[in-house]
Amino acid sequence: MAGTPQLRSAFPQTPQKQKENGTSRELKPQVVNRSKPSVGCPRESATPLIPVEIVEAPSQRLYVLAFYVALNTCRLYDSWVTSDDLDTTWLFLKWGFIDIVFLFGLQALRIPWLDWSFSTSFMVLLLHITANLFLMFRIPLPVGTWIGGLIKIVYDRELSISERKVKPGDIIHNSSLILGKQIVHILPEGSAKLNADRTPFCLDSDKTSVSLPIQINQTNPIFIELLRFDLDTGQNETIEISSKQLKQLKRQAAKLHSNQKTAAQSHIFFPVRETGIYRLLRVLDESKLEVQTRLSDTLVVSCPKAVLRNSHSHKCKGELSDLVLEVEGTPPLKVKYSRKLNELESGFSFQNIQAETPSLSLLTKHSDLLISPNKPNATWARMQTVRVPLNESLNTGGDWLYAIEEVHDAYGNVVNYTSYLDETDRPLTKVLPQWYQLSVHERPLLSLTGCNVQKVLEVAKEDSIELPLQFHTGQAYGSDGPFKVTYSYSGTGFAVDGPVPTKVRHVSLKTMHYRPRIKEPGWYALNDVSSQFCLGEILEPSSCFLHNPPEPELTLRYENIFDKCANNSVGLLVELDLIGSPPFRLLYSIEHSKGIETFVHIIETLRGQLEFTPPEAGFYRYRFLNIGDSVYEARSLKDKIPILEQDVKPPASALVLGSRDSRIACFGESVPVHISFIGEPPWTMEYELVHNGKKVKHTLTAGNIVVTISTEKLLSGGEYILSLTSIKDRSNCTRLLKESIKIEVRPKMPGVSFGHIERKRSVFALEDSNIQLPLRLSGEAPWTVKYRNLAIHPSLVVQGIVWEENGVMNVDQPGRYQLVDVSDATCPGAVDESAKEFEVSWIARPKITSLDDIATGTRKTFTKREMCEGDRDILELQLSGNPPFSIQYEHQWKGASGPPLLRVQRLRSPLTVVSMDMDTSRPGENTYKFIELADSLYDHDPKKHTPVIVTQRVSSLPSAHFDSPGRIYGFCKEDINEDELIPVTLEGAPPFSLEIAIRHHSTSKPETVAVANISANKLNLPIPRRYLSLGQHVVSIQKVRDARGCHRMIEHDASSVRISVSDVPTIIPLESRSDYCVGERIAFSLSGQAPFEIFYTFGGFHRKATSQSSTFRRIAEKPGEFTITAISDGASGRCKAHKNLTKMIHELPSARISKGRESVIDIHEGGEAEINLEFWGTPPFEYTYTRSSNARKGKKSEILDVRHDISHEHTKDIKASDEGTYEVVAIKDKFCSFSSQKQLSKPGKAAKAPPS
């Protein structure tokens, strides 16, 4: 298969396979390196989804094209068969979705040439959506109007007198009528000047040369001579610029400075590489004459320069900046520098610098001549170096950046360093001499925290602790580490010859959070502190004492605790004596028959007490394990404290088991209480029950450790207290008890009853609705209520949970509901017999009871009497239910032909009687089916509603129309002999009767003619001539009636016809003048009945023209005599009106200047040029000519002067002394005028013509 051709800057080459020696090898596409890809080219696509080895790229494109054609075929078919608005909307959305899937799915295939960018795919999608909008909604396009406008633009033709199509523009805009132009040049005088704009120049290492501008006016130099004065030696030298150099300089100036002010003025730029004072001496033009030169000197000096110098880049807060500003240049100098503090601008500063030696620059820089040739002295312009100290107090920490922005010298040379800063990275500013950065550091502040002269540090012996250092405002110098701290230490003892000498120690801290550790007791004092850059300050507190407290120790004393009655040991009392730093933590254990328990006892002082009184009898052993204080960790007490042992027999006692909170009891029930005894059996216990201030005592004897006592039935609500008063065991020792428990007894049983709805225990509700029956409950929530429905399932008991005292019971069936039982959260209850039943009933559903006073009953089909089309008929519905009602019915219409129509409508009525208008707008069979009925309480339920059907037949109205609608029946007024017969067709049931209206165009009231007993459907209607007069008549049908009694009133008869009683047509010119010019239009007004035929003669030939309107117009294409001879119209074609209307057509005048050619005349200032004018036409001639600026390359000519003049001859000569281009723009003779349509926009009045 032939390869797909690759166009330049178009799509990528489709990968191909080429057979070679019986094998196939893949041709790799060539990679073309283009710096600028062509605009509009698709983006480079990735590998196609379907490899080209399987399906080649052209085949893939062909398949996509075929699929696209199939899609558009289906799209056009859907647009053709769409029927209503719903279909159009659905089809529009459908095809929009298909287009989205197709276009964006196409991108997923990545087929070469079809792999578009997203923006291209989106624009194509918008075009498809617009096409879908016009196709699916059938929006008409004004194609006819567009084609007509396009034809009007492309083919603008108009009928001429010769009855042929001509272009009006070719006749009206004839450029050959005005020809020629005269160009007058005035030769200029030349001059030259060096550096006319007084631009300052300077040289440095970056700018090794400058170009001096030489302004040339009105001349073309071939030789230039310059004079240079040296600034150091005062010697001068002459510089000559040859003709060859000047040509090269002109070409360079034309490229670099194409926007010259005028063609007469130009600049050349002479490059120089040495400083000095330059002066323009001599300039020669092409005629080797010396051009006038204006003496002026131009100074070229060394560019000013400024640098910042400093010895240190790190400073401490409060020090001076110690900067030196070194400036070189021609004084006086001005330096602008900025200062930034922590990346924030802190202002600009200006330094005006004057040299120590006197300078004459201020006296000479405003003069044109800077040096005298007789006494050359240029020492004042030499470069000088000035050093200026910049000392500022650095009171704020951070980064200080000094930057020199600009340097100015005495002659306006400016060196700006900000561009270097913009183009250079910030880290390089430390290398550039115009920028200097200082880092100002905070001084560290150090003190001790948590320890001072009054508060000491405590640490265990042989342990160490951190020296509590605190840096103040550390965020400002946290990164200035390491920090060096010097502190001194002096012990607590004394040497032989005095106090222990002080030891000084130096430590280095990597960060502020690092702390040195100390462990030797004694005084520690801070001496000084410093960071990497600055010396700091020591703040108070600066000294602290380190103390080693004694280790904790314990001694104890103990004694037994005896029962006074039985003389038995019941416990142990231990006295504790401690040494150390409170608080103390004492760990001990208790060993008994059930195991070992460990306890911790906290002692806040140096003395403490422990009391061991076990609740049960047995052998107990007490061990003290370890002790610790606030300084030392726990120290073992093994083998230091004796182990205490004891055999305990506790006294008799009794405890109430279970919760000690108040117990709740129901009304009328007894409460059980469990009691546990301590001591030796048997036990005798006394207790009492207290209620309402009354006490009932009881005695209990038991041999078991745990017993249960029960109260009698509690028949009085309120609070009961069961109190244990005393107990006695085998030792016969009586002990008083303080155990008691409260019992809360409910005052009454829970109850339930039905509440009222609108003061009664019955309710009417909507069918199948959920009804909430009100309940009245007493007791504690939640309640369990049991009930049953006596009407439906009397034996079925239903149980429900209620959480509120005034709760509800949800039911959804009618019947009589009865309460059976109730219980609350803790106790059973009773049902109120007087309010235990509630009656529930349903409200009846709505229905149609009668139609037109006929009861429906079980009948569901009705037929109404036949009606004529358009007559009003009403169906009256009688409803039962709760208004307002909502009725939905189906109206089906079936005509004599065509498919039936079905529509669904809805009626709403606030009353039980509904009047519905029957549809009699179309003939045919109407069926009304009432399918839904709802009222204010019930929605429609199709299962419980039977549709009601009403049918009615509507007869069509008779109709009548003329067989030839719009036809004009015409004749001449003089030929009225017989009646006109107009054929009419009638539809309906004969016999018919008609009413015909005849209206004259001059009156608004028609005359009526009645025609009765028309037995056939065709009629030749005679129009009596007595109803017709001269002019136009409109004959229309007003009314028609048939044998069924149906009649039709026709307000606007579309089939109406016209009868024209015509007179002889006339033709009248629209303008009274008889002379016309070529290009003008001759127009006449026609009266009569179109179409008209106009007969005329022109150029000796007889012609005939036809006009479909009341106007006859032709354009005059050439001169001659035009005469109308006769006219006839469509109504009176047999009658022709003879006329003799003559119009004379004249040729347009013309003018020529300089024989119709472009002529150029050169004159000197003050001279004159003669301009020759020629005219054709009928004198006298009025003409207008202009003087414009001479055209130059790249600049549009401007009108400088406009003049008007009159000539009675066919030729005229005028004098011109001003430079410019002279042209005739308008000419007028006795009959006609012509203008070249140039814009005459010169301000002021037009000047008078010069004398001829």
Side-chain angles (χ1 to χ4, degrees), residues 25 200 230 237 376 429 509 559 677 699 729 787 967 1088 1213:
R25 61 182 181 89
D230 190 88
E237 65 172 327
T429 58
L509 310 180
E559 62 180 10
F677 295 106
T699 301
D729 63 355
Y787 63 94
R967 179 178 175 183
D1213 295 330

PDB file of all heavy atoms in Angstrom, residues 25 200 230 237 376 429 509 559 677 699 729 787 967 1088 1213:
ATOM      1  N   ARG A  25      11.132  -4.805   7.142  1.00  0.00           N
ATOM      2  CA  ARG A  25      11.742  -4.037   8.219  1.00  0.00           C
ATOM      3  C   ARG A  25      10.946  -2.750   8.387  1.00  0.00           C
ATOM      4  O   ARG A  25      10.415  -2.184   7.429  1.00  0.00           O
ATOM      5  CB  ARG A  25      13.199  -3.711   7.907  1.00  0.00           C
ATOM      6  CG  ARG A  25      13.410  -2.877   6.667  1.00  0.00           C
ATOM      7  CD  ARG A  25      14.890  -2.635   6.384  1.00  0.00           C
ATOM      8  NE  ARG A  25      15.071  -1.815   5.207  1.00  0.00           N
ATOM      9  CZ  ARG A  25      15.115  -0.487   5.237  1.00  0.00           C
ATOM     10  NH1 ARG A  25      14.941   0.142   6.392  1.00  0.00           N
ATOM     11  NH2 ARG A  25      15.310   0.199   4.132  1.00  0.00           N
ATOM     12  N   PRO A 200      24.804  62.837  28.298  1.00  0.00           N
ATOM     13  CA  PRO A 200      26.088  62.564  28.946  1.00  0.00           C
ATOM     14  C   PRO A 200      26.620  61.193  28.536  1.00  0.00           C
ATOM     15  O   PRO A 200      25.854  60.246  28.303  1.00  0.00           O
ATOM     16  CB  PRO A 200      25.739  62.605  30.436  1.00  0.00           C
ATOM     17  CG  PRO A 200      24.303  62.252  30.500  1.00  0.00           C
ATOM     18  CD  PRO A 200      23.675  62.794  29.254  1.00  0.00           C
ATOM     19  N   ASP A 230      42.426  65.914  25.220  1.00  0.00           N
ATOM     20  CA  ASP A 230      42.726  64.901  26.223  1.00  0.00           C
ATOM     21  C   ASP A 230      42.563  65.497  27.611  1.00  0.00           C
ATOM     22  O   ASP A 230      43.016  66.617  27.876  1.00  0.00           O
ATOM     23  CB  ASP A 230      44.144  64.366  26.028  1.00  0.00           C
ATOM     24  CG  ASP A 230      44.397  63.153  26.896  1.00  0.00           C
ATOM     25  OD1 ASP A 230      44.092  62.040  26.428  1.00  0.00           O
ATOM     26  OD2 ASP A 230      44.871  63.321  28.027  1.00  0.00           O
ATOM     27  N   GLU A 237      43.703  66.391  19.372  1.00  0.00           N
ATOM     28  CA  GLU A 237      43.949  65.622  18.153  1.00  0.00           C
ATOM     29  C   GLU A 237      42.739  65.742  17.252  1.00  0.00           C
ATOM     30  O   GLU A 237      41.614  65.987  17.723  1.00  0.00           O
ATOM     31  CB  GLU A 237      44.224  64.150  18.478  1.00  0.00           C
ATOM     32  CG  GLU A 237      43.042  63.426  19.084  1.00  0.00           C
ATOM     33  CD  GLU A 237      43.280  61.926  19.210  1.00  0.00           C
ATOM     34  OE1 GLU A 237      43.968  61.374  18.345  1.00  0.00           O
ATOM     35  OE2 GLU A 237      42.740  61.326  20.170  1.00  0.00           O
ATOM     36  N   PRO A 376      43.910  75.392  26.753  1.00  0.00           N
ATOM     37  CA  PRO A 376      43.224  74.130  27.118  1.00  0.00           C
ATOM     38  C   PRO A 376      43.563  73.690  28.538  1.00  0.00           C
ATOM     39  O   PRO A 376      44.732  73.537  28.879  1.00  0.00           O
ATOM     40  CB  PRO A 376      43.726  73.141  26.074  1.00  0.00           C
ATOM     41  CG  PRO A 376      45.037  73.690  25.623  1.00  0.00           C
ATOM     42  CD  PRO A 376      44.949  75.190  25.713  1.00  0.00           C
ATOM     43  N   THR A 429      25.935  38.398  46.672  1.00  0.00           N
ATOM     44  CA  THR A 429      26.064  39.793  47.075  1.00  0.00           C
ATOM     45  C   THR A 429      27.221  39.987  48.044  1.00  0.00           C
ATOM     46  O   THR A 429      27.733  41.103  48.196  1.00  0.00           O
ATOM     47  CB  THR A 429      24.763  40.257  47.733  1.00  0.00           C
ATOM     48  OG1 THR A 429      24.483  39.415  48.857  1.00  0.00           O
ATOM     49  CG2 THR A 429      23.607  40.178  46.769  1.00  0.00           C
ATOM     50  N   LEU A 509      29.152  25.049  75.937  1.00  0.00           N
ATOM     51  CA  LEU A 509      27.799  24.512  75.707  1.00  0.00           C
ATOM     52  C   LEU A 509      27.502  24.583  74.216  1.00  0.00           C
ATOM     53  O   LEU A 509      27.534  25.668  73.612  1.00  0.00           O
ATOM     54  CB  LEU A 509      26.752  25.319  76.487  1.00  0.00           C
ATOM     55  CG  LEU A 509      27.040  25.547  77.979  1.00  0.00           C
ATOM     56  CD1 LEU A 509      25.917  26.366  78.607  1.00  0.00           C
ATOM     57  CD2 LEU A 509      27.183  24.217  78.696  1.00  0.00           C
ATOM     58  N   GLU A 559       2.583  -1.592 120.581  1.00  0.00           N
ATOM     59  CA  GLU A 559       1.879  -2.159 121.737  1.00  0.00           C
ATOM     60  C   GLU A 559       0.581  -2.762 121.245  1.00  0.00           C
ATOM     61  O   GLU A 559       0.015  -2.333 120.242  1.00  0.00           O
ATOM     62  CB  GLU A 559       1.615  -1.078 122.775  1.00  0.00           C
ATOM     63  CG  GLU A 559       0.723   0.053 122.309  1.00  0.00           C
ATOM     64  CD  GLU A 559       0.506   1.098 123.390  1.00  0.00           C
ATOM     65  OE1 GLU A 559       1.185   1.039 124.429  1.00  0.00           O
ATOM     66  OE2 GLU A 559      -0.344   1.976 123.158  1.00  0.00           O
ATOM     67  N   PHE A 677     -22.094 -11.832 110.202  1.00  0.00           N
ATOM     68  CA  PHE A 677     -21.655 -11.699 111.598  1.00  0.00           C
ATOM     69  C   PHE A 677     -20.143 -11.839 111.683  1.00  0.00           C
ATOM     70  O   PHE A 677     -19.513 -12.565 110.916  1.00  0.00           O
ATOM     71  CB  PHE A 677     -22.313 -12.768 112.477  1.00  0.00           C
ATOM     72  CG  PHE A 677     -23.822 -12.608 112.569  1.00  0.00           C
ATOM     73  CD1 PHE A 677     -24.679 -13.472 111.902  1.00  0.00           C
ATOM     74  CD2 PHE A 677     -24.360 -11.572 113.337  1.00  0.00           C
ATOM     75  CE1 PHE A 677     -26.041 -13.318 111.980  1.00  0.00           C
ATOM     76  CE2 PHE A 677     -25.730 -11.435 113.421  1.00  0.00           C
ATOM     77  CZ  PHE A 677     -26.580 -12.287 112.743  1.00  0.00           C
ATOM     78  N   THR A 699     -35.679  -9.348 117.728  1.00  0.00           N
ATOM     79  CA  THR A 699     -34.475 -10.044 118.214  1.00  0.00           C
ATOM     80  C   THR A 699     -34.254 -11.271 117.349  1.00  0.00           C
ATOM     81  O   THR A 699     -35.195 -12.004 117.038  1.00  0.00           O
ATOM     82  CB  THR A 699     -34.627 -10.456 119.691  1.00  0.00           C
ATOM     83  OG1 THR A 699     -34.856  -9.259 120.471  1.00  0.00           O
ATOM     84  CG2 THR A 699     -33.376 -11.140 120.195  1.00  0.00           C
ATOM     85  N   ASP A 729     -22.003 -12.310 121.277  1.00  0.00           N
ATOM     86  CA  ASP A 729     -21.550 -13.610 120.795  1.00  0.00           C
ATOM     87  C   ASP A 729     -21.259 -14.518 121.986  1.00  0.00           C
ATOM     88  O   ASP A 729     -21.782 -14.298 123.099  1.00  0.00           O
ATOM     89  CB  ASP A 729     -20.326 -13.443 119.891  1.00  0.00           C
ATOM     90  CG  ASP A 729     -19.128 -12.850 120.621  1.00  0.00           C
ATOM     91  OD1 ASP A 729     -19.282 -12.488 121.796  1.00  0.00           O
ATOM     92  OD2 ASP A 729     -18.050 -12.725 119.974  1.00  0.00           O
ATOM     93  N   TYR A 787     -53.140  -5.031  75.764  1.00  0.00           N
ATOM     94  CA  TYR A 787     -54.478  -4.646  75.288  1.00  0.00           C
ATOM     95  C   TYR A 787     -54.896  -5.621  74.200  1.00  0.00           C
ATOM     96  O   TYR A 787     -54.104  -6.430  73.719  1.00  0.00           O
ATOM     97  CB  TYR A 787     -54.480  -3.206  74.758  1.00  0.00           C
ATOM     98  CG  TYR A 787     -53.589  -2.997  73.563  1.00  0.00           C
ATOM     99  CD1 TYR A 787     -54.104  -3.090  72.271  1.00  0.00           C
ATOM    100  CD2 TYR A 787     -52.227  -2.715  73.716  1.00  0.00           C
ATOM    101  CE1 TYR A 787     -53.281  -2.910  71.170  1.00  0.00           C
ATOM    102  CE2 TYR A 787     -51.400  -2.542  72.621  1.00  0.00           C
ATOM    103  CZ  TYR A 787     -51.935  -2.634  71.342  1.00  0.00           C
ATOM    104  OH  TYR A 787     -51.128  -2.464  70.255  1.00  0.00           O
ATOM    105  N   ARG A 967     -57.478  35.463  -6.155  1.00  0.00           N
ATOM    106  CA  ARG A 967     -57.518  35.833  -7.587  1.00  0.00           C
ATOM    107  C   ARG A 967     -58.185  37.202  -7.740  1.00  0.00           C
ATOM    108  O   ARG A 967     -59.088  37.550  -6.998  1.00  0.00           O
ATOM    109  CB  ARG A 967     -58.280  34.779  -8.378  1.00  0.00           C
ATOM    110  CG  ARG A 967     -58.390  35.118  -9.857  1.00  0.00           C
ATOM    111  CD  ARG A 967     -59.111  34.043 -10.625  1.00  0.00           C
ATOM    112  NE  ARG A 967     -59.309  34.453 -11.998  1.00  0.00           N
ATOM    113  CZ  ARG A 967     -59.965  33.738 -12.904  1.00  0.00           C
ATOM    114  NH1 ARG A 967     -60.467  32.537 -12.565  1.00  0.00           N
ATOM    115  NH2 ARG A 967     -60.113  34.176 -14.148  1.00  0.00           N
ATOM    116  N   GLY A1088     -52.479  52.074 -11.124  1.00  0.00           N
ATOM    117  CA  GLY A1088     -53.182  51.055 -11.865  1.00  0.00           C
ATOM    118  C   GLY A1088     -53.000  49.714 -11.177  1.00  0.00           C
ATOM    119  O   GLY A1088     -52.742  49.641  -9.974  1.00  0.00           O
ATOM    120  N   ASP A1213      -4.419  77.838 -16.307  1.00  0.00           N
ATOM    121  CA  ASP A1213      -3.101  77.690 -15.701  1.00  0.00           C
ATOM    122  C   ASP A1213      -3.089  78.395 -14.356  1.00  0.00           C
ATOM    123  O   ASP A1213      -3.613  79.530 -14.232  1.00  0.00           O
ATOM    124  CB  ASP A1213      -2.017  78.287 -16.615  1.00  0.00           C
ATOM    125  CG  ASP A1213      -1.901  77.515 -17.922  1.00  0.00           C
ATOM    126  OD1 ASP A1213      -2.175  76.306 -17.883  1.00  0.00           O
ATOM    127  OD2 ASP A1213      -1.571  78.138 -18.940  1.00  0.00           O
TER     128      ASP A1213
END
